[in-house]
Amino acid sequence: MVSIADVARDAGVSSSTVSYVLSGKRSISSETQRRVEASIHRLGYHPHAGARALASSRTSVLALIMPLRADIDVPVLMGFVNSVVTTARNYDYDVLLLTNDEGPAGLRRVADSAMADALLLMDVEEEDPRVRVLQSLSCPGVLIGLPNDPGDLSCVDLDFSAAAKRCVRHLADLGHERVALVGPSPVVYERGTSFAGRFLRGFTAAARERGVHATSRACVPSYEGVRDCLDRILTDQPELTGLVVHNEAVIAPLLSELHSRDMRIPEDISVVAVTPDEMAANRPVPLTTVPLPSEDIGRSAVEMTMRELQGVRSPEIRLLSPRLTPARSTARRV
DNA sequence: CCTAAAAGTAGTGTATCACT
DNA sequence: AGTGATACACTACTTTTAGG
């Protein structure tokens, strides 16, 4: 293995000079800089991460804690992971991905063993015991999601309440008077997952505000779950003309189920979905969506974390404003 | 004198301080 | 602008000590 001492010997300088060339924390003559860089290149040197962590008590690793539960939509989650990892690399950080649900003890384990410099927490619940623990840790933490009491932690998320309102108002503007929400899986509500509650409350509030009849149902992500969910909704509202879907895993089976029931989109029923942009276009009928900005959320979370790591303590709750992208799946009610 | 346990030492690769 | 010494946390190895 090539060490900093090998580079120093090759370049004819001391190892501290190599270190300063690498960190850029001191001025180095251009000639020395050039020789050191040439040696680094020639020898194929890469700093030893363990030794770095030992000397600096920094790991250059962010822990992304993302419990992978059965009811979680992996493609959507990967959008967040991708954005977090990509942004972290811009700051010379790597990402430690933790997908087991270890609860508060897991946070302590990672922080106290100094595996990472900061923790990013996903799948946040309204009353999440991890939040209090995260605050008490010595390393910074940022939430992707919004608990009832975030304390002085920074949070980023889509403004799900506003997103729901956007969907309802769009349908109401098109003359729809009877709408329904196909929500996340029942377990997501039971767990008190923060986005689910916020979306549902926004949906209900907007419907009331616009005088629209509204029903909502949790939906198990399977063909059977979708059939059951639709049955219940249509029993409740046989004259339904608008659907809001807040459950990515359900979109495909739902579209196919509507088709088999001869409910044409958008002639018989308008559909608007909350889903990442790239997953909306590739459907039998291009979907009107409120895009889930996983890219922006992941990037913001890492940027906030980096600010904290630089010692800037300015907790911020950043709720991104939803957009609505109209497509063929919604139309004026006839 | 032998063994086991405890204490001590050296070495790892890097960042950084104090110095020239 | 450049350098030597040191700290960092841990491990592997060596030496010392205690007790029989």
Side-chain angles (χ1 to χ4, degrees):
Chain A
M1 197 190 63
V2 183
S3 76
I4 200 168
D6 300 319
V7 175
R9 203 174 310 116
D10 190 75
V13 295
S14 72
S15 49
S16 38
T17 299
V18 178
S19 178
Y20 282 122
V21 168
L22 286 168
S23 69
K25 287 185 179 172
R26 277 198 15 189
S27 53
I28 298 285
S29 73
S30 52
E31 166 57 16
T32 303
Q33 169 124 8
R34 193 195 56 71
R35 283 210 321 280
V36 168
E37 277 163 0
S39 296
I40 288 172
H41 185 71
R42 182 165 50 247
L43 300 175
Y45 166 75
H46 291 285
H48 189 286
R52 262 198 168 164
L54 181 59
S56 65
S57 22
R58 283 223 163 182
T59 60
S60 294
V61 169
L62 300 180
L64 178 58
I65 298 170
M66 169 189 274
L68 261 193
R69 301 197 171 88
D71 52 80
I72 271 169
D73 191 71
V74 175
V76 172
L77 226 53
M78 276 310 291
F80 286 101
V81 174
N82 188 44
S83 164
V84 167
V85 170
T86 306
T87 312
R89 282 309 302 142
N90 293 338
Y91 292 90
D92 242 332
Y93 267 77
D94 284 285
V95 175
L96 171 70
L97 185 58
L98 296 142
T99 57
N100 277 353
D101 184 13
E102 297 180 55
L107 305 188
R108 286 219 178 81
R109 183 175 69 83
V110 173
D112 292 349
S113 58
M115 295 163 83
D117 296 341
L119 274 56
L120 291 180
L121 217 62
M122 286 197 67
D123 201 32
V124 177
E125 294 162 16
E126 289 171 343
E127 298 293 336
D128 199 319
R130 297 176 303 167
V131 171
R132 206 168 42 80
V133 172
L134 189 56
Q135 275 181 278
S136 72
L137 297 175
S138 48
C139 72
V142 167
L143 304 177
I144 296 178
L146 180 64
N148 286 347
D149 178 16
D152 64 349
L153 291 173
S154 288
C155 307
V156 210
D157 209 352
L158 173 66
D159 187 337
F160 277 97
S161 173
K165 289 175 181 165
R166 259 273 152 72
C167 295
V168 172
R169 286 171 191 157
H170 174 69
L171 291 173
D173 289 344
L174 290 171
H176 297 275
E177 290 166 353
R178 295 180 174 276
V179 303
L181 166 63
V182 176
S185 194
V187 286
V188 173
Y189 285 113
E190 284 157 21
R191 212 165 48 228
T193 308
S194 83
F195 67 78
R198 287 183 281 140
F199 194 90
L200 177 56
R201 287 189 291 277
F203 176 81
T204 312
R208 194 179 317 114
E209 165 202 304
R210 296 294 295 262
V212 167
H213 289 273
T215 311
S216 73
R217 289 271 178 242
C219 185
V220 175
S222 66
Y223 278 87
E224 202 186 353
V226 165
R227 276 195 294 273
D228 182 58
C229 180
L230 266 182
D231 284 341
R232 286 160 180 269
I233 286 173
L234 290 169
T235 306
D236 213 39
Q237 294 207 68
E239 308 296 309
L240 186 80
T241 61
L243 267 183
V244 176
V245 187
H246 181 212
N247 185 337
E248 288 83 7
V250 144
I251 294 174
L254 179 71
L255 296 183
S256 125
E257 181 62 20
L258 289 173
H259 181 75
S260 67
R261 293 184 187 211
D262 284 331
M263 296 175 78
R264 293 164 303 159
I265 304 171
E267 293 84 351
D268 303 316
I269 190 156
S270 283
V271 176
V272 50
V274 181
T275 179
D277 253 342
E278 60 276 16
M279 298 184 193
N282 201 16
R283 304 284 182 186
V285 180
L287 288 180
T288 295
T289 58
V290 167
L292 185 64
S294 33
E295 170 77 39
D296 293 345
I297 293 173
R299 183 169 15 82
S300 298
V302 172
E303 282 165 0
M304 285 175 171
T305 309
M306 289 303 151
R307 259 193 298 150
E308 299 239 353
L309 283 171
Q310 282 152 18
V312 188
R313 281 258 55 211
S314 53
E316 178 193 353
I317 292 176
R318 189 182 298 178
L319 291 180
L320 306 180
S321 298
R323 301 181 282 115
L324 186 136
T325 314
R328 291 227 321 273
S329 71
T330 49
R332 182 155 290 282
R333 187 174 70 102
V334 286

